[in-house]
């Protein structure tokens, strides 16, 4: 069966198998591989009530040399561990996390897109959730960890680096100042879904969230981090309520390599006027240039009070950063940082 990955977007597409393990009374089971995607769960499991859930997303690529690479999976384990610690629930240790990701790739080998399929990849979605039956408000004692996969394109379909529009969210916040925004919890996404739906209905690709305390500085997009280029600087917000993006972390390294000054600091909405290039970045979106940002008092209100405009194509500095990251992921450039984990078929 020949899959046309150029027609795929960033969505769920069926694959062969998932891999799961449970942690009961503090002890992790051996991983189980199954082609039954319907898990059996107790309806009192904590995940259904108190959203005891955190998840990850990482990509697997077939390189120009035919070898299969997984991008920075250790960073995903560390971030999942930080989320599980925040939720006071067990987290899969590094060796189990890595082993289950590798198994999931091997079991779904035929869904790793060919090298030629541009920005397509096998996307892994590791999910950790509260498993034991419970009623009162407390953290889950037991957990289930599942790694699943989908052969995906980008959010914008076949074309990468397709610019999109964004709108500033002034009447919906993603994360509280001292809240959970810095962890990849399912609950954070539940918080943003309604606002996202409004933005999408209005035709915007992205929603730009501000700090919830003052609504004066930029936090991140609903699906990704924010970064801007101004002259020789790579500028990205520094805030404990922003998800620490692995893509952004990698881009900062590459930016330094290119001699850019990396500024990780408070970024004010007013500064949007002065930026040369504005982008969203993340595993799913890779780098998506933003060509316009609208500012409105309320998402539902038709009045646009300010409009920040950028080029209709990816800026030259962002393009260079993109090429270097994709080059490492697809084996076109030397992986000087040791970011890729190679996987053999079996
Ligand atoms: C809210 C949010 N911020 C940032 C990111 C980017 O993080 P990463 O680069 O680790 O995928 C994502 C996507 O995973 C996200 O959902």
């Amino acid at each position: 069966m020949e899959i046309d990955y150029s027609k795929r977007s960033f969505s769920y597409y069926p694959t062969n198998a998932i891999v799961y393990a449970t942690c009961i009374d503090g002890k992790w089971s051996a991983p189980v591989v199954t082609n039954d995607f319907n898990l059996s769960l107790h309806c009192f499991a904590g995940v259904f009530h108190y959203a005891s859930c955190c998840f990850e997303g990482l990509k697997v690529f077939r390189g120009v040399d035919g070898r299969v690479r997984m991008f920075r999976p250790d960073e995903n384990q560390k971030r999942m561990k930080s989320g599980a610690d925040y939720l006071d629930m067990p987290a899969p240790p590094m060796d189990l996390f890595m082993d289950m990701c590798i198994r999931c790739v091997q079991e779904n080998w035929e869904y790793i897109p060919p090298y030629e399929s541009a920005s397509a990849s096998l996307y892994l979605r590791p999910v950790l959730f509260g498993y034991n039956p419970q009623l009162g408000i407390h953290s889950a004692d037991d957990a289930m960890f599942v790694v699943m996969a989908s052969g995906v394109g980008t959010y914008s379909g076949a074309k990468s680096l397709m610019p999109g529009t964004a709108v500033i969210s002034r009447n919906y916040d993603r994360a509280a100042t001292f809240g959970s925004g810095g962890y990849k919890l399912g609950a954070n996404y539940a918080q943003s879904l309604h606002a996202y739906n409004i933005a999408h209905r209005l035709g915007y690709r992205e929603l730009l969230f501000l700090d919830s305390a003052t609504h004066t500085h930029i936090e991140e997009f609903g699906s990704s981090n924010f970064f801007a280029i101004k002259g020789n600087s790579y500028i990205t917000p520094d805030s404990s309520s922003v998800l620490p993006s692995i893509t952004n972390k990698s881009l900062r390294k590459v930016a330094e390599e290119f001699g850019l000054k990396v500024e990780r600091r408070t970024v004010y909405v007013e500064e949007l006027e002065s930026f040369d290039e504005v982008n969203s970045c993340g595993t799913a979106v890779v780098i998506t240039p933003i060509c316009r940002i609208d500012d409105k008092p309320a998402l539902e209100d038709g009045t646009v009070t300010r409009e920040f405009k950028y080029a209709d194509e990816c800026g030259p500095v962002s393009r260079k950063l993109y090429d270097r990251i994709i080059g490492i992921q697809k084996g076109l450039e030397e992986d000087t940082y040791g970011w890729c984990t190679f996987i053999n078929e079996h």
Side-chain angles (χ1 to χ4, degrees):
M1 176 194 45
E2 192 73 12
I3 297 171
D4 184 356
Y5 285 97
S6 70
K7 295 215 162 58
R8 287 195 165 184
S9 62
F10 184 75
S11 305
Y12 158 71
Y13 297 97
T15 46
N16 292 333
I18 58 169
V19 188
Y20 71 84
T22 50
C23 181
I24 295 172
D25 296 334
K27 197 172 175 315
W28 281 96
S29 72
V32 177
V33 176
T34 176
N35 56 15
D36 184 356
F37 284 58
N38 296 294
L39 298 167
S40 174
L41 293 178
H42 200 293
C43 64
F44 275 84
V47 62
F48 295 130
H49 311 264
Y50 304 120
S52 43
C53 162
C54 56
F55 67 98
E56 281 302 323
L58 64 156
K59 281 181 171 173
V60 175
F61 300 88
R62 202 181 289 274
V64 64
D65 51 5
R67 297 184 73 193
V68 169
R69 294 160 168 81
M70 182 158 57
F71 191 66
R72 308 196 76 176
D74 50 322
E75 290 290 329
N76 293 96
Q77 188 275 345
K78 287 185 220 155
R79 193 168 61 188
M80 175 166 271
K81 168 92 174 75
S82 75
D85 287 350
Y86 181 82
L87 293 169
D88 279 329
M89 62 187 281
M94 185 65 88
D95 52 350
L96 183 68
F97 185 96
M98 295 295 278
D99 181 41
M100 287 175 61
C101 288
I102 290 169
R103 279 298 289 281
C104 187
V105 174
Q106 289 171 332
E107 295 294 332
N108 296 296
W109 198 256
E110 70 207 70
Y111 295 102
I112 307 168
Y115 166 74
E116 293 75 19
S117 60
S119 45
S121 61
L122 184 72
Y123 180 82
L124 298 189
R125 172 54 59 85
V127 186
L128 178 76
F129 51 87
Y131 186 58
N132 57 292
Q134 64 176 89
L135 189 62
I137 304 176
H138 52 81
S139 295
D141 295 324
D142 300 334
M144 183 177 247
F145 176 53
V146 188
V147 184
M148 48 197 122
S150 179
V152 300
T154 61
Y155 266 111
S156 49
K159 264 191 98 188
S160 48
L161 291 179
M162 264 249 294
T165 54
V167 58
I168 295 175
S169 179
R170 289 202 174 268
N171 57 329
Y172 294 96
D173 294 328
R174 174 185 174 272
T177 308
F178 300 111
S180 61
Y183 306 98
K184 202 168 170 69
L185 310 189
N188 293 338
Y189 293 82
Q191 178 85 9
S192 66
L193 288 177
H194 182 65
Y196 235 132
N197 292 340
I198 299 170
H200 285 161
R201 270 202 300 277
L202 294 171
Y204 294 104
R205 169 93 68 81
E206 269 303 342
L207 190 53
L208 183 57
F209 288 102
L210 306 181
D211 73 295
S212 64
T214 68
H215 285 180
T216 58
H217 45 94
I218 293 166
E219 291 249 295
E220 64 176 325
F221 297 102
S223 69
S224 43
N225 272 187
F226 173 100
F227 82 88
I229 302 295
K230 181 179 177 180
N232 196 41
S233 291
Y234 176 106
I235 300 164
T236 193
D238 185 19
S239 159
S240 60
S241 47
V242 165
L243 188 77
S245 155
I246 296 159
T247 313
N248 193 351
K249 187 175 179 180
S250 310
L251 286 168
R252 291 198 299 272
K253 262 267 173 265
V254 170
E256 274 168 8
E257 180 188 309
F258 289 160
L260 296 174
K261 180 171 169 241
V262 173
E263 296 180 33
R264 213 175 160 199
R265 58 168 172 81
T266 302
V267 180
Y268 290 93
V269 175
E270 275 58 43
E271 290 184 73
L272 285 172
E273 260 171 29
S274 65
F275 294 144
D276 303 326
E277 304 174 21
V278 165
N279 299 276
S280 74
C281 70
T283 299
V285 303
V286 194
I287 286 179
T288 297
I290 302 295
C291 55
R292 198 186 80 225
I293 300 177
D294 286 352
D295 196 359
K296 311 170 90 183
L299 279 184
E300 299 83 348
D301 183 338
T303 332
V304 174
T305 47
R306 273 190 300 188
E307 211 183 61
F308 303 96
K309 285 196 155 170
Y310 308 96
D312 281 332
E313 58 185 15
C314 184
V317 179
S318 308
R319 168 101 229 180
K320 218 173 137 198
L321 295 169
Y322 175 89
D323 286 344
R324 177 82 173 109
I325 288 281
I326 293 283
I328 291 174
Q329 291 174 334
K330 299 206 81 168
L332 289 160
E333 300 222 2
E334 198 190 340
D335 178 11
T336 36
Y337 306 105
W339 283 341
C340 296
T341 297
F342 290 93
I343 304 179
N344 294 321
E345 190 166 356
H346 263 298

